[in-house]
Every structure is written in structure tokens, then in C-alpha cells.
Amino acid sequence: MELEATHHTLDLANEGLLSIRHGQSARIRCNTGMLWITEEGEVKDTILSAGDTYTIRHPGLTLLTSFGSSRVTIEGSADRVRTGRTASGDVPELASCA
């Protein structure tokens, strides 16, 4: 499914995975639950609790992993936003954003 909007809200299951490619300047908002963010080019990972936000600083890959059920909103553009895992462990495409 292709989405043109630059505002996406997604529900992630416990240990759910969300990958964002080339999302520099996009803002991540943790609406509920808790998120672990790993961003390419950053030395430290970031943990968000409900109500916290994080702005992606670098181009490249950013990964979000949920602790428990979580709801996340991505505001801004990204080449690809993907969620989940296939049986092979690959992350399937959820949406392409401009």
C-alpha cells in the first residue's frame, strides 16, 4: 500500500519492529507503550515512553522496537516505512512515503 501523507500512526505488538529509511528530520512520537530507537549514525540508542518524541537526525536506517504494545506516530517524510517480520526474519514493506 502506498501512502502520500506524511503523518502515520501505527500500532506495534510486543517486540514489534518498525524500520524507517531516509527519514532525516521526521519526528517519532510514542503515544502509548515504550519504544527503543536505534538510528544509523548515532552512537547511543534512545528509549521513548508515552508522550515522548524523537527527531531523526541522520539519513539512513532507523529501527524502532516496541516494549509491550505501543502506538507510534511518524510525522515527516521517509523513503520507506516498514513494520513486522516475515517467517524468514525480513521486514516486509508497509508503506512508501514521499
Side-chain angles (χ1 to χ4, degrees):
M1 171 171 63
E2 188 168 328
L3 302 173
E4 294 299 325
T6 59
H7 182 97
H8 307 284
T9 299
L10 303 161
D11 290 318
L12 298 175
N14 183 39
E15 297 182 6
L17 178 67
L18 179 74
S19 70
I20 302 168
R21 287 214 176 264
H22 306 295
Q24 186 175 13
S25 299
R27 186 168 52 164
I28 299 164
R29 183 178 340 125
C30 181
N31 300 315
T32 61
M34 190 174 256
L35 301 170
W36 176 5
I37 300 173
T38 301
E39 181 182 353
E40 186 175 348
E42 283 294 313
V43 175
K44 293 183 178 181
D45 291 347
T46 300
I47 303 291
L48 297 184
S49 296
D52 292 343
T53 62
Y54 178 82
T55 301
I56 299 173
R57 295 173 177 93
H58 305 282
L61 180 63
T62 301
L63 297 174
L64 284 69
T65 304
S66 64
F67 294 117
S69 297
S70 300
R71 175 169 274 193
V72 59
T73 299
I74 310 298
E75 297 172 343
S77 64
D79 286 348
R80 298 229 182 262
V81 177
R82 300 176 182 198
T83 187
R85 289 184 186 270
T86 64
S88 66
D90 294 333
V91 180
E93 182 175 340
L94 169 70
S96 297
C97 316

Coordinates of all heavy atoms in Angstrom, one line a residue:
M1 N 0.8 -1.2 0.0 CA 0.0 0.0 0.0 C 0.9 1.2 0.0 O 1.8 1.3 0.8 CB -0.9 0.0 1.3 CG -1.6 1.2 1.4 SD -2.9 1.2 2.7 CE -2.0 0.9 4.2
E2 N 0.6 2.2 -0.9 CA 1.4 3.4 -0.9 C 0.6 4.5 -0.3 O -0.6 4.7 -0.6 CB 1.7 3.8 -2.4 CG 2.7 4.9 -2.5 CD 3.2 5.1 -3.9 OE1 3.4 4.1 -4.6 OE2 3.4 6.2 -4.3
L3 N 1.3 5.3 0.6 CA 0.6 6.4 1.3 C 1.3 7.7 0.9 O 2.5 7.8 0.9 CB 0.7 6.2 2.8 CG 0.0 5.0 3.3 CD1 0.3 4.8 4.8 CD2 -1.5 5.0 3.1
E4 N 0.6 8.7 0.6 CA 1.1 10.0 0.3 C 1.3 10.9 1.5 O 2.1 11.8 1.5 CB 0.3 10.7 -0.8 CG 0.3 10.0 -2.1 CD 1.7 9.9 -2.8 OE1 2.5 10.9 -2.6 OE2 1.9 8.9 -3.4
A5 N 0.5 10.7 2.5 CA 0.5 11.6 3.7 C 1.8 11.5 4.4 O 2.6 10.5 4.3 CB -0.6 11.2 4.6
T6 N 2.2 12.5 5.1 CA 3.4 12.5 5.9 C 3.1 12.4 7.4 O 3.9 12.8 8.2 CB 4.2 13.8 5.6 OG1 3.4 14.9 6.0 CG2 4.6 13.9 4.2
H7 N 2.0 11.7 7.7 CA 1.6 11.5 9.1 C 1.1 10.1 9.2 O 0.0 9.9 8.7 CB 0.6 12.6 9.5 CG 0.1 12.5 10.9 ND1 0.7 13.3 11.9 CD2 -0.8 11.8 11.5 CE1 0.1 13.1 13.0 NE2 -0.8 12.1 12.8
H8 N 1.8 9.2 9.9 CA 1.3 7.8 10.0 C 1.3 7.5 11.5 O 2.2 7.7 12.2 CB 2.3 6.9 9.4 CG 2.6 7.3 8.0 ND1 1.8 7.0 6.9 CD2 3.7 7.9 7.4 CE1 2.3 7.5 5.8 NE2 3.5 8.0 6.1
T9 N 0.2 6.8 11.9 CA 0.1 6.3 13.3 C -0.1 4.8 13.1 O -0.9 4.3 12.4 CB -1.1 6.9 14.0 OG1 -0.9 8.3 14.1 CG2 -1.3 6.3 15.4
L10 N 0.8 4.1 13.8 CA 0.8 2.6 13.8 C 0.8 2.0 15.1 O 1.3 2.5 16.1 CB 2.1 2.1 13.1 CG 2.3 2.7 11.7 CD1 3.8 2.6 11.3 CD2 1.5 2.0 10.7
D11 N 0.1 0.8 15.2 CA 0.1 0.0 16.5 C 1.2 -1.1 16.3 O 1.2 -1.8 15.3 CB -1.2 -0.6 16.8 CG -2.2 0.5 17.1 OD1 -1.9 1.4 17.9 OD2 -3.4 0.4 16.7
L12 N 2.0 -1.2 17.3 CA 3.0 -2.3 17.3 C 2.8 -3.2 18.4 O 2.5 -2.8 19.6 CB 4.4 -1.7 17.4 CG 4.9 -0.8 16.3 CD1 6.3 -0.2 16.7 CD2 5.0 -1.5 15.0
A13 N 2.8 -4.5 18.2 CA 2.7 -5.6 19.2 C 4.0 -5.6 20.0 O 5.0 -5.0 19.7 CB 2.5 -6.9 18.5
N14 N 4.0 -6.3 21.1 CA 5.2 -6.5 21.9 C 6.3 -7.0 21.0 O 6.2 -7.9 20.3 CB 4.9 -7.5 23.0 CG 6.1 -7.7 24.0 OD1 6.8 -6.7 24.3 ND2 6.3 -8.9 24.4
E15 N 7.5 -6.4 21.2 CA 8.6 -6.6 20.4 C 8.4 -6.4 18.9 O 9.1 -7.0 18.0 CB 9.2 -8.0 20.6 CG 9.6 -8.2 22.1 CD 10.2 -9.6 22.3 OE1 10.4 -10.4 21.4 OE2 10.5 -9.9 23.5
G16 N 7.4 -5.6 18.5 CA 7.2 -5.2 17.2 C 8.3 -4.4 16.6 O 9.0 -3.7 17.4
L17 N 8.5 -4.5 15.3 CA 9.6 -3.8 14.7 C 9.1 -2.8 13.6 O 8.2 -3.2 12.8 CB 10.6 -4.8 14.0 CG 11.8 -4.2 13.3 CD1 12.7 -3.5 14.3 CD2 12.5 -5.3 12.5
L18 N 9.7 -1.6 13.6 CA 9.3 -0.6 12.6 C 10.7 -0.1 12.0 O 11.5 0.3 12.8 CB 8.5 0.5 13.2 CG 8.1 1.7 12.2 CD1 7.0 1.2 11.3 CD2 7.7 2.9 13.0
S19 N 10.8 -0.1 10.7 CA 12.0 0.4 10.1 C 11.7 1.6 9.3 O 10.6 1.6 8.6 CB 12.8 -0.6 9.3 OG 12.1 -0.9 8.1
I20 N 12.5 2.6 9.3 CA 12.3 3.9 8.6 C 13.6 4.1 7.8 O 14.7 4.2 8.4 CB 12.0 5.1 9.5 CG1 10.8 4.8 10.3 CG2 11.9 6.4 8.7 CD1 10.6 5.8 11.5
R21 N 13.5 4.3 6.5 CA 14.7 4.6 5.6 C 14.6 6.0 5.2 O 13.6 6.5 4.7 CB 14.7 3.7 4.4 CG 15.1 2.3 4.7 CD 15.9 1.6 3.6 NE 16.3 0.3 4.0 CZ 17.4 0.0 4.5 NH1 18.3 1.0 4.7 NH2 17.7 -1.2 4.8
H22 N 15.8 6.7 5.4 CA 15.9 8.1 4.9 C 14.9 9.0 5.5 O 14.2 9.7 4.8 CB 16.0 8.1 3.4 CG 17.1 7.2 2.8 ND1 18.4 7.4 3.1 CD2 17.0 6.1 2.1 CE1 19.1 6.4 2.5 NE2 18.2 5.6 1.9
G23 N 14.7 8.9 6.8 CA 13.7 9.7 7.5 C 14.2 10.9 8.2 O 13.6 11.4 9.1
Q24 N 15.4 11.4 7.8 CA 16.0 12.5 8.5 C 15.0 13.7 8.6 O 14.3 14.0 7.7 CB 17.2 13.0 7.7 CG 18.0 14.1 8.4 CD 19.3 14.5 7.6 OE1 19.4 14.1 6.5 NE2 20.1 15.2 8.3
S25 N 14.9 14.2 9.8 CA 14.0 15.3 10.2 C 12.6 14.8 10.5 O 11.8 15.6 11.0 CB 14.0 16.4 9.2 OG 15.3 17.0 9.1
A26 N 12.3 13.6 10.3 CA 11.0 13.0 10.7 C 10.9 12.9 12.2 O 11.9 12.7 12.8 CB 10.7 11.7 10.0
R27 N 9.7 13.2 12.7 CA 9.5 13.1 14.2 C 8.8 11.9 14.6 O 7.8 11.6 14.0 CB 8.8 14.4 14.7 CG 8.8 14.4 16.2 CD 8.3 15.7 16.8 NE 7.1 16.1 16.2 CZ 6.3 17.0 16.7 NH1 6.7 17.7 17.8 NH2 5.2 17.3 16.1
I28 N 9.3 11.2 15.6 CA 8.7 10.0 16.1 C 8.0 10.3 17.4 O 8.7 10.9 18.3 CB 9.7 8.9 16.3 CG1 10.4 8.5 15.0 CG2 9.1 7.7 17.0 CD1 11.7 7.7 15.2
R29 N 6.7 10.0 17.6 CA 6.0 10.3 18.8 C 5.5 8.9 19.4 O 4.8 8.2 18.7 CB 4.8 11.2 18.6 CG 4.1 11.5 19.9 CD 3.0 12.5 19.8 NE 3.0 13.3 18.6 CZ 1.9 13.3 17.8 NH1 0.9 12.6 18.0 NH2 2.0 14.1 16.7
C30 N 5.9 8.6 20.6 CA 5.4 7.4 21.3 C 4.1 7.8 22.0 O 4.1 8.6 22.9 CB 6.4 6.9 22.3 SG 5.9 5.5 23.2
N31 N 3.0 7.4 21.5 CA 1.7 7.7 22.0 C 1.3 6.8 23.2 O 0.8 7.3 24.2 CB 0.6 7.5 21.0 CG 0.8 8.4 19.8 OD1 1.1 9.6 19.9 ND2 0.7 7.8 18.6
T32 N 1.6 5.5 23.1 CA 1.4 4.6 24.3 C 2.5 3.6 24.2 O 3.2 3.4 23.2 CB 0.1 3.9 24.2 OG1 0.0 3.1 23.0 CG2 -1.1 4.8 24.2
G33 N 2.8 3.0 25.4 CA 3.8 2.0 25.5 C 5.2 2.6 25.6 O 5.4 3.7 26.1
M34 N 6.2 1.8 25.0 CA 7.6 2.3 25.1 C 8.3 1.8 23.9 O 8.1 0.7 23.4 CB 8.2 1.6 26.4 CG 9.6 2.1 26.7 SD 10.1 1.4 28.3 CE 9.8 2.8 29.4
L35 N 9.2 2.6 23.3 CA 9.9 2.3 22.1 C 11.4 2.4 22.3 O 11.9 3.3 23.0 CB 9.6 3.3 21.0 CG 8.1 3.4 20.6 CD1 7.9 4.6 19.7 CD2 7.7 2.1 19.9
W36 N 12.2 1.5 21.7 CA 13.6 1.6 21.7 C 14.0 2.0 20.2 O 13.6 1.3 19.3 CB 14.2 0.2 22.0 CG 15.6 0.0 21.9 CD1 16.6 0.9 21.7 CD2 16.3 -1.2 22.1 NE1 17.9 0.3 21.7 CE2 17.7 -1.0 22.0 CE3 15.9 -2.5 22.4 CZ2 18.7 -2.0 22.1 CZ3 16.9 -3.5 22.6 CH2 18.2 -3.2 22.4
I37 N 14.8 3.0 20.1 CA 15.1 3.6 18.8 C 16.6 3.4 18.6 O 17.5 3.8 19.4 CB 14.8 5.1 18.7 CG1 13.3 5.2 18.8 CG2 15.2 5.6 17.3 CD1 12.8 6.7 18.9
T38 N 17.0 2.8 17.4 CA 18.4 2.7 17.0 C 18.5 3.4 15.7 O 17.8 3.1 14.7 CB 18.8 1.2 16.8 OG1 18.6 0.5 18.1 CG2 20.2 1.1 16.4
E39 N 19.3 4.5 15.6 CA 19.5 5.3 14.4 C 20.9 5.1 13.8 O 21.9 5.3 14.6 CB 19.2 6.7 14.7 CG 19.3 7.6 13.5 CD 19.0 9.1 13.8 OE1 18.6 9.4 14.9 OE2 19.2 9.9 12.9
E40 N 20.9 4.8 12.6 CA 22.2 4.8 11.9 C 22.9 6.1 12.0 O 22.3 7.2 11.8 CB 22.0 4.5 10.4 CG 23.2 4.2 9.6 CD 22.9 3.8 8.2 OE1 21.8 3.5 7.8 OE2 23.9 3.8 7.4
G41 N 24.2 6.1 12.4 CA 24.9 7.4 12.6 C 24.9 7.9 14.0 O 25.7 8.8 14.3
E42 N 24.1 7.3 14.9 CA 24.1 7.7 16.3 C 24.8 6.7 17.1 O 24.7 5.5 16.9 CB 22.6 7.8 16.8 CG 21.9 9.1 16.4 CD 22.5 10.3 16.9 OE1 22.8 10.4 18.2 OE2 22.7 11.3 16.2
V43 N 25.6 7.1 18.1 CA 26.4 6.2 19.0 C 25.4 5.6 20.0 O 25.6 4.4 20.3 CB 27.5 7.0 19.7 CG1 28.2 6.1 20.7 CG2 28.5 7.6 18.7
K44 N 24.5 6.3 20.5 CA 23.6 5.8 21.6 C 22.2 5.6 21.0 O 21.7 6.3 20.2 CB 23.5 6.9 22.7 CG 24.8 7.1 23.5 CD 24.5 8.0 24.6 CE 25.8 8.2 25.5 NZ 25.6 9.1 26.6
D45 N 21.6 4.6 21.6 CA 20.2 4.3 21.3 C 19.3 5.2 22.2 O 19.8 5.8 23.2 CB 19.8 2.8 21.6 CG 20.5 1.9 20.5 OD1 21.0 2.4 19.5 OD2 20.5 0.7 20.8
T46 N 18.0 5.3 21.9 CA 17.1 6.2 22.6 C 15.9 5.4 23.0 O 15.4 4.6 22.2 CB 16.7 7.4 21.7 OG1 17.8 8.1 21.4 CG2 15.7 8.3 22.5
I47 N 15.4 5.6 24.2 CA 14.2 4.9 24.7 C 13.1 6.0 24.9 O 13.4 7.1 25.5 CB 14.4 4.3 26.1 CG1 15.5 3.2 26.0 CG2 13.1 3.7 26.6 CD1 15.2 2.0 25.2
L48 N 12.0 5.8 24.3 CA 10.8 6.7 24.4 C 9.7 6.1 25.2 O 9.4 4.9 25.0 CB 10.2 7.1 23.1 CG 11.1 7.8 22.0 CD1 10.3 8.2 20.8 CD2 11.7 9.1 22.6
S49 N 9.2 6.9 26.2 CA 8.0 6.5 26.9 C 6.8 7.2 26.3 O 7.0 8.2 25.5 CB 8.1 6.8 28.4 OG 9.2 6.1 28.9
A50 N 5.6 6.8 26.7 CA 4.4 7.5 26.2 C 4.5 9.0 26.4 O 4.9 9.5 27.5 CB 3.1 7.0 26.9
G51 N 4.2 9.8 25.3 CA 4.3 11.2 25.4 C 5.6 11.8 24.9 O 5.7 13.0 24.6
D52 N 6.7 11.0 24.8 CA 8.0 11.4 24.4 C 8.1 11.5 22.9 O 7.4 10.8 22.1 CB 9.1 10.5 24.9 CG 9.3 10.5 26.4 OD1 8.8 11.4 27.0 OD2 9.9 9.6 26.9
T53 N 8.9 12.4 22.4 CA 9.2 12.5 20.9 C 10.7 12.4 20.6 O 11.5 12.7 21.5 CB 8.7 13.8 20.3 OG1 9.3 14.9 21.0 CG2 7.2 13.9 20.5
Y54 N 11.0 12.1 19.4 CA 12.4 12.0 19.0 C 12.4 12.4 17.5 O 11.6 12.0 16.7 CB 12.9 10.5 19.1 CG 14.3 10.3 18.6 CD1 15.4 10.6 19.4 CD2 14.6 9.9 17.3 CE1 16.7 10.4 19.0 CE2 15.9 9.6 16.9 CZ 16.9 9.9 17.7 OH 18.2 9.7 17.3
T55 N 13.4 13.2 17.1 CA 13.6 13.6 15.7 C 14.8 12.9 15.1 O 15.9 12.9 15.7 CB 13.8 15.2 15.6 OG1 12.6 15.8 16.2 CG2 13.9 15.6 14.2
I56 N 14.6 12.2 14.0 CA 15.6 11.5 13.3 C 16.7 12.5 12.8 O 16.3 13.5 12.1 CB 15.1 10.6 12.2 CG1 14.1 9.6 12.8 CG2 16.2 10.0 11.4 CD1 13.4 8.8 11.7
R57 N 17.9 12.3 13.2 CA 19.0 13.2 12.9 C 19.8 12.9 11.6 O 20.4 13.8 11.1 CB 20.0 13.3 14.1 CG 19.3 13.8 15.3 CD 20.3 13.6 16.5 NE 19.7 14.2 17.7 CZ 19.0 13.5 18.6 NH1 18.8 12.3 18.4 NH2 18.6 14.1 19.7
H58 N 19.8 11.7 11.2 CA 20.6 11.3 10.1 C 19.8 10.6 9.0 O 18.8 9.9 9.2 CB 21.7 10.3 10.6 CG 22.5 10.9 11.7 ND1 23.5 11.8 11.5 CD2 22.5 10.6 13.0 CE1 24.1 12.1 12.7 NE2 23.4 11.4 13.6
P59 N 20.4 10.6 7.7 CA 19.8 9.8 6.7 C 20.2 8.4 7.0 O 21.0 8.1 7.8 CB 20.4 10.3 5.4 CG 21.7 10.9 5.8 CD 21.5 11.5 7.2
G60 N 19.6 7.4 6.3 CA 19.9 6.0 6.5 C 18.8 5.3 7.2 O 17.6 5.7 7.1
L61 N 19.1 4.3 8.0 CA 18.1 3.4 8.6 C 17.9 3.7 10.0 O 18.9 3.9 10.8 CB 18.6 1.9 8.5 CG 17.7 0.9 9.1 CD1 16.4 0.8 8.4 CD2 18.4 -0.5 9.0
T62 N 16.6 3.8 10.4 CA 16.3 4.0 11.8 C 15.3 2.8 12.2 O 14.4 2.5 11.4 CB 15.5 5.3 12.1 OG1 16.4 6.4 11.7 CG2 15.1 5.5 13.5
L63 N 15.6 2.1 13.3 CA 14.8 1.0 13.7 C 14.1 1.3 15.1 O 14.7 1.9 16.0 CB 15.6 -0.3 13.9 CG 16.3 -0.8 12.7 CD1 17.3 -2.0 13.1 CD2 15.3 -1.3 11.7
L64 N 12.8 1.0 15.2 CA 12.1 1.1 16.4 C 11.6 -0.3 16.8 O 11.1 -1.0 16.0 CB 10.8 2.0 16.2 CG 11.0 3.5 16.0 CD1 11.7 3.8 14.8 CD2 9.6 4.1 16.1
T65 N 11.8 -0.6 18.1 CA 11.3 -1.8 18.7 C 10.4 -1.5 19.8 O 10.8 -0.6 20.6 CB 12.5 -2.7 19.1 OG1 13.4 -2.9 18.1 CG2 12.0 -4.1 19.7
S66 N 9.3 -2.1 19.9 CA 8.3 -1.8 21.0 C 8.5 -2.7 22.2 O 8.8 -3.9 22.0 CB 6.9 -1.9 20.5 OG 6.6 -3.2 20.1
F67 N 8.4 -2.1 23.4 CA 8.4 -2.9 24.6 C 6.9 -3.0 25.0 O 6.3 -2.0 25.4 CB 9.1 -2.2 25.7 CG 10.6 -2.1 25.5 CD1 11.2 -0.9 25.4 CD2 11.4 -3.2 25.4 CE1 12.6 -0.8 25.2 CE2 12.8 -3.2 25.2 CZ 13.4 -1.9 25.1
G68 N 6.3 -4.1 24.9 CA 4.8 -4.2 25.1 C 4.1 -3.6 23.9 O 4.7 -3.2 22.9
S69 N 2.8 -3.6 23.9 CA 2.0 -3.0 22.9 C 2.3 -1.5 22.9 O 2.3 -0.9 23.9 CB 0.5 -3.3 23.1 OG 0.3 -4.6 23.0
S70 N 2.5 -0.9 21.7 CA 2.8 0.5 21.6 C 2.1 1.1 20.4 O 1.8 0.4 19.4 CB 4.3 0.7 21.4 OG 5.0 0.2 22.5
R71 N 1.8 2.4 20.5 CA 1.3 3.1 19.4 C 2.3 4.3 19.1 O 2.7 5.0 20.0 CB -0.1 3.7 19.7 CG -0.6 4.6 18.6 CD -2.0 5.0 18.8 NE -2.8 3.9 18.2 CZ -4.1 3.9 17.9 NH1 -4.8 5.0 18.2 NH2 -4.7 2.9 17.3
V72 N 2.7 4.4 17.8 CA 3.7 5.4 17.4 C 3.1 6.2 16.3 O 2.4 5.7 15.4 CB 5.0 4.6 17.0 CG1 4.8 3.7 15.9 CG2 6.1 5.6 16.7
T73 N 3.5 7.5 16.3 CA 3.1 8.4 15.1 C 4.4 8.9 14.5 O 5.3 9.3 15.3 CB 2.3 9.6 15.6 OG1 1.1 9.1 16.2 CG2 2.0 10.5 14.5
I74 N 4.5 8.8 13.2 CA 5.7 9.3 12.4 C 5.2 10.5 11.7 O 4.2 10.4 10.9 CB 6.2 8.2 11.4 CG1 6.5 6.9 12.1 CG2 7.5 8.8 10.8 CD1 7.5 6.9 13.2
E75 N 5.8 11.6 11.9 CA 5.5 12.9 11.2 C 6.7 13.3 10.4 O 7.8 13.5 10.9 CB 5.1 14.0 12.2 CG 3.9 13.6 13.1 CD 3.7 14.6 14.2 OE1 4.6 15.4 14.5 OE2 2.6 14.6 14.7
G76 N 6.5 13.5 9.1 CA 7.5 13.9 8.2 C 7.7 12.8 7.1 O 7.0 11.8 7.1
S77 N 8.6 13.1 6.2 CA 8.8 12.2 5.1 C 9.9 11.1 5.3 O 10.8 11.3 6.1 CB 9.1 13.0 3.9 OG 10.4 13.6 4.0
A78 N 9.7 10.0 4.6 CA 10.7 8.9 4.7 C 10.5 8.2 3.3 O 9.5 8.1 2.8 CB 10.4 8.0 5.8
D79 N 11.6 7.6 2.9 CA 11.6 6.8 1.6 C 10.7 5.6 1.9 O 9.9 5.2 1.0 CB 13.0 6.4 1.2 CG 13.7 7.5 0.5 OD1 13.1 8.6 0.3 OD2 14.9 7.3 0.3
R80 N 10.9 4.9 3.0 CA 10.2 3.6 3.3 C 9.9 3.5 4.8 O 10.8 3.8 5.6 CB 11.0 2.4 2.8 CG 11.3 2.4 1.4 CD 10.9 1.0 0.9 NE 11.3 0.9 -0.6 CZ 10.4 1.1 -1.5 NH1 9.1 1.3 -1.3 NH2 10.8 1.0 -2.8
V81 N 8.7 3.1 5.1 CA 8.3 2.8 6.4 C 7.8 1.4 6.4 O 6.9 1.1 5.6 CB 7.2 3.8 6.9 CG1 6.8 3.4 8.4 CG2 7.7 5.2 6.9
R82 N 8.4 0.5 7.2 CA 8.0 -0.9 7.2 C 7.8 -1.4 8.6 O 8.4 -0.9 9.5 CB 9.2 -1.8 6.6 CG 9.5 -1.4 5.2 CD 10.6 -2.2 4.7 NE 11.0 -1.8 3.3 CZ 11.7 -2.5 2.5 NH1 12.2 -3.7 2.9 NH2 12.0 -2.1 1.3
T83 N 6.9 -2.4 8.7 CA 6.7 -3.0 10.1 C 6.5 -4.5 10.0 O 6.2 -5.0 8.9 CB 5.4 -2.3 10.7 OG1 5.3 -2.8 12.0 CG2 4.2 -2.7 9.9
G84 N 6.8 -5.1 11.1 CA 6.6 -6.6 11.2 C 7.8 -7.4 10.7 O 8.8 -6.8 10.3
R85 N 7.6 -8.7 10.7 CA 8.7 -9.6 10.2 C 8.0 -10.8 9.5 O 6.9 -11.2 9.8 CB 9.4 -10.2 11.4 CG 10.3 -9.2 12.1 CD 11.1 -9.9 13.2 NE 11.9 -9.0 14.0 CZ 13.1 -8.7 13.7 NH1 13.8 -9.1 12.6 NH2 13.8 -7.8 14.5
T86 N 8.7 -11.3 8.5 CA 8.2 -12.4 7.8 C 8.8 -13.7 8.4 O 9.6 -13.5 9.3 CB 8.7 -12.4 6.3 OG1 10.1 -12.5 6.3 CG2 8.2 -11.2 5.6
A87 N 8.4 -14.9 8.0 CA 9.0 -16.1 8.6 C 10.5 -16.1 8.4 O 11.2 -16.7 9.3 CB 8.3 -17.3 7.9
S88 N 11.0 -15.5 7.4 CA 12.5 -15.5 7.2 C 13.2 -14.5 8.0 O 14.4 -14.4 8.0 CB 12.8 -15.3 5.7 OG 12.4 -14.0 5.3
G89 N 12.4 -13.6 8.7 CA 13.0 -12.6 9.6 C 13.2 -11.3 8.8 O 13.6 -10.3 9.4
D90 N 12.8 -11.2 7.5 CA 12.9 -9.9 6.8 C 11.7 -9.0 7.2 O 10.7 -9.5 7.7 CB 12.7 -10.2 5.3 CG 13.9 -10.9 4.7 OD1 15.0 -10.8 5.4 OD2 13.8 -11.6 3.8
V91 N 11.9 -7.7 7.1 CA 10.9 -6.8 7.4 C 10.1 -6.5 6.1 O 10.7 -5.9 5.2 CB 11.5 -5.5 8.0 CG1 10.4 -4.5 8.3 CG2 12.3 -5.8 9.2
P92 N 8.8 -6.8 6.1 CA 8.0 -6.6 4.8 C 7.7 -5.1 4.7 O 7.6 -4.4 5.7 CB 6.8 -7.4 5.1 CG 6.6 -7.5 6.5 CD 8.0 -7.5 7.1
E93 N 7.4 -4.6 3.5 CA 7.1 -3.3 3.2 C 5.7 -3.0 3.7 O 4.8 -3.7 3.4 CB 7.2 -3.0 1.7 CG 6.9 -1.5 1.4 CD 7.1 -1.2 0.0 OE1 7.8 -1.9 -0.7 OE2 6.5 -0.2 -0.4
L94 N 5.5 -1.9 4.4 CA 4.2 -1.5 4.8 C 3.7 -0.3 4.0 O 2.7 -0.2 3.4 CB 4.1 -1.0 6.3 CG 2.9 -0.3 6.7 CD1 1.7 -1.3 6.7 CD2 3.0 0.3 8.1
A95 N 4.6 0.7 3.8 CA 4.2 1.9 3.1 C 5.5 2.6 2.5 O 6.6 2.5 3.1 CB 3.5 2.9 4.0
S96 N 5.3 3.3 1.4 CA 6.3 4.1 0.8 C 5.8 5.6 0.9 O 4.6 5.8 0.6 CB 6.6 3.8 -0.6 OG 7.1 2.5 -0.7
C97 N 6.6 6.5 1.5 CA 6.1 7.8 1.7 C 7.0 8.8 0.9 O 8.2 8.6 0.8 CB 6.2 8.2 3.2 SG 5.6 6.9 4.3
A98 N 6.4 9.9 0.5 CA 7.2 10.9 -0.2 C 7.5 12.0 0.8 O 6.9 12.2 1.8 CB 6.5 11.4 -1.4

